[in-house]
Amino acid sequence: GNSVTQMEGPVTLSEEAFLTINCTYTATGYPSLFWYVQYPGEGLQLLLKATKADDKGSNKGFEATYRKETTSFHLEKGSVQVSDSAVYFCALSEGQGAQKLVFGQGTRLTINP
Amino acid sequence: DTGVSQDPRHKITKRGQNVTFRCDPISEHNRLYWYRQTLGQGPEFLTYFQNEAQLEKSRLLSDRFSAERPKGSFSTLEIQRTEQGDSAMYLCAAWSGGEQYFGPGTRLTVT
């Protein structure tokens, strides 16, 4: 079945560092890809998405590009802030009708001032 | 605010008891999903509704679990004869415009 594999955490960086969180997927067909973020004490929020190959999703300084040839959707940010500390989940949607989400295990990111 | 509310936010119950959770999306969301998230893991799909019809159930949804969406608006998830392994966060999500919007979740602790 479809699956998502994320870079294991936790990840700890200093403020203004460059961030990459790796995500690769296995899927039949052409799923949409997502990054969700879960801030401490809050629910899951959609961070960005891409619906087809070579699409780039971006939001709040974060970017990810849908790479079909490498089945990847790595999350990047050029300069992280303390407020970016959260758990990040990569996900794909499967099922023509259902569009249910398959999530990776999550990567906990901590940014130190 | 994602427009999806869940109640209760926390539930502590003893093993063997029944529990029911409620999810309220705003009225325009015709697809509604339930997921379960255990500590340190990503959410896992349980079931989904298109309006009032339950169209798919995961193998994770044992016979002790039942979900309903009687009028195509709010949904309930019931767990009968709870077990300690049911302890998790139960998330509801509503689909709109190609995206799923998640509620804050109900954290269940079975003692």
Side-chain angles (χ1 to χ4, degrees), chain B residues 22-25 32 34 51 68-76:
Chain B
R22 180 178 169 122
C23 171
D24 282 271
L32 184 148
W34 285 98
N51 300 314
E68 293 182 342
R69 196 180 185 201
K71 297 182 181 178
S73 56
F74 73 92
S75 176
T76 58

Side-chain angles (χ1 to χ4, degrees), chain B residues 34-49:
Chain B
W34 285 98
Y35 293 83
R36 181 172 70 187
Q37 185 179 16
T38 53
L39 205 59
Q41 299 298 316
E44 296 173 291
F45 170 79
L46 293 178
T47 188
Y48 97 100
F49 292 83

